[in-house]
Amino acid sequence: MRQYRFMEFSTRPATLDDAPAIHQLIAAEERSWHGQVEAVPDAVAADLRRPLIKLELDTRVATAPNGDLAGWVWVHGGRHAKIDVHPSYAGLGLGTQLLDWAEARAREIGTDWLAQIVDDSDQAGTDMLRSRGYEVLATNWLLERPTAPQSPAPPGIRLDAYDPARSHEVHELIEQAFAPFQPRAKSYDEWAELTVARSTFLPQASTLAYADDQLVGAVIALDGDEGYVEQLAVQADQRNKGIARAMLDRTCAEFLRNGRTTCILWTHSGTGALAMYERLGMRVRRSTTVYRTQL
Ligand SMILES: CC(C)(COP(=O)(O)OP(=O)(O)OC[C@H]1O[C@@H](n2cnc3c(N)ncnc32)[C@H](O)[C@@H]1OP(=O)(O)O)[C@@H](O)C(=O)NCCC(=O)NCCS
């Protein structure tokens, strides 16, 4: 049995009511590492509602003796874990305890590997995973650009705000564009919970691109302290015509109208889209690393 050096934390499954407090915990981590908060406020709620998550079995929150939320862990599909420890409770062994729990849960589900994303400024988290033999699998970059007035769309392309009447087409277009990078397809309902059904979803700042009346591109925009692009995709046979550039410009112009002076988004090294975003004037603000271990 592993020995811990920590104070007595009590653990229990998370409930949806914990989502705001977990967001605050993540915000405290981001402030301690970066001096600002980039997490979109309803992201935790969206994660806890994912269809593969059974809160009783796949989540734990850890509370300190004074009742503070000190950490939490989430295991998605037995393959992806998320662990966050509040900076006030760092260095007490809680991260190790939560990682043990995540690995045990993944083994119980019967998966052969477990991945997790660690902020590159999180030295303790990085050291913990490396010391346990986790290997680097991929990089995520947080990109930023200033918002600016809109530029013209390419010839033959019409841009407009999100239209709920086209929601199933938007889901299909995005799923097809991301299919090469995703282990499994998301149903409409699963996709909607992560995007258009969120409380932070901005239909006016989201952009759809049409060639005649055919949907050929989509940007899903969310609101945070900054304008946040959750997804961007162009239909395969319509690429390299400037559609992504024009959609991002329109979305950024809408963010500016909402008073947001920067636009941010995450991109994964597996998609190969970093070079495109750099051509669109985006710059890397910071990065996270995806670590993986065999179980
Ligand atoms: C990435 C994607 C959105 C690009 O759409 P697109 O409409 O073809 O992009 P654009 O035509 O507007 O290209 C914008 C600029 O990026 C460049 N570019 C486009 N794809 C690129 C790539 N894969 N690598 C490097 N540069 C690229 C273009 O040459 C263009 O630069 P320029 O204007 O200086 O010539 C599209 O390929 C796609 O949907 N991919 C699958 C989903 C995805 O990866 N989404 C983004 C990841 S988060």
Side-chain angles (χ1 to χ4, degrees):
M1 187 70 189
R2 194 182 293 271
Q3 294 298 309
Y4 299 108
R5 315 169 263 115
F6 55 80
M7 64 169 77
E8 275 308 308
F9 293 102
S10 48
T11 58
R12 60 167 174 80
T15 68
L16 283 178
D17 291 343
D18 291 316
I22 297 171
H23 171 73
Q24 286 306 323
L25 187 158
I26 293 169
E29 277 183 315
E30 290 192 341
R31 261 191 298 273
S32 78
W33 294 324
H34 312 294
Q36 70 184 117
V37 178
E38 285 130 357
V40 178
D42 65 351
V44 174
D47 275 345
L48 293 179
R49 285 200 185 95
R50 287 188 188 223
L52 291 185
I53 290 288
K54 296 185 191 77
L55 293 175
E56 272 296 309
L57 298 175
D58 296 320
T59 67
R60 288 292 180 269
V61 293
T63 46
N66 65 1
D68 278 359
L69 184 69
W72 83 302
V73 54
W74 170 98
V75 176
H76 187 249
R79 293 212 184 269
H80 296 273
K82 242 180 216 185
I83 296 173
D84 291 283
V85 172
H86 193 286
S88 309
Y89 295 97
L92 300 173
L94 181 56
T96 305
Q97 182 188 7
L98 297 176
L99 182 60
D100 284 348
W101 185 88
E103 291 179 356
R105 174 63 188 142
R107 283 196 187 93
E108 195 175 79
I109 293 174
T111 52
D112 48 355
W113 55 264
L114 180 69
Q116 53 180 296
I117 296 174
V118 179
D119 194 296
D120 287 341
S121 300
D122 178 4
Q123 198 53 52
T126 302
D127 291 348
M128 177 173 77
L129 293 185
R130 291 211 164 138
S131 72
R132 288 170 70 141
Y134 279 68
E135 289 171 356
V136 172
L137 182 67
T139 302
N140 297 305
W141 294 283
L142 179 66
L143 305 177
E144 63 178 343
R145 63 163 265 193
T147 52
Q150 191 176 349
S151 57
I157 299 297
R158 179 173 66 84
L159 303 180
D160 213 336
Y162 178 74
D163 176 358
R166 312 293 292 249
S167 61
H168 286 270
E169 288 166 73
V170 176
H171 162 247
E172 233 166 79
L173 182 141
I174 290 176
E175 279 301 311
Q176 276 180 17
F178 283 96
F181 323 119
Q182 294 197 127
R184 62 179 185 88
K186 290 190 185 68
S187 69
Y188 175 80
D189 288 344
E190 180 175 8
W191 170 79
E193 287 283 359
L194 294 167
T195 54
V196 296
R198 285 172 64 168
S199 60
T200 53
F201 175 57
L202 293 175
Q204 180 60 31
S206 297
T207 298
L208 301 186
Y210 303 91
D212 297 323
D213 193 41
Q214 193 203 340
L215 183 77
V216 294
V219 172
I220 299 296
L222 304 177
D223 200 22
D225 289 348
E226 301 167 279
Y228 186 87
V229 170
E230 174 68 18
Q231 289 182 323
L232 180 153
V234 172
Q235 189 173 291
D237 61 2
Q238 299 284 336
R239 291 183 187 160
N240 296 311
K241 294 181 178 176
I243 298 176
R245 174 188 293 278
M247 291 195 303
L248 192 65
D249 275 358
R250 181 190 172 279
T251 289
C252 282
E254 292 294 326
F255 286 149
L256 185 61
R257 280 152 58 98
N258 284 349
R260 305 288 182 258
T261 52
T262 45
C263 162
I264 56 174
L265 60 84
W266 282 99
T267 191
H268 185 273
S269 50
T271 69
L274 177 63
M276 178 208 62
Y277 285 124
E278 287 180 332
R279 303 218 35 152
L280 300 187
M282 302 206 78
R283 293 289 164 264
V284 174
R285 181 186 288 176
R286 63 182 180 85
S287 57
T288 61
T289 298
V290 186
Y291 289 92
R292 187 165 83 163
T293 192
Q294 300 295 324
L295 291 173

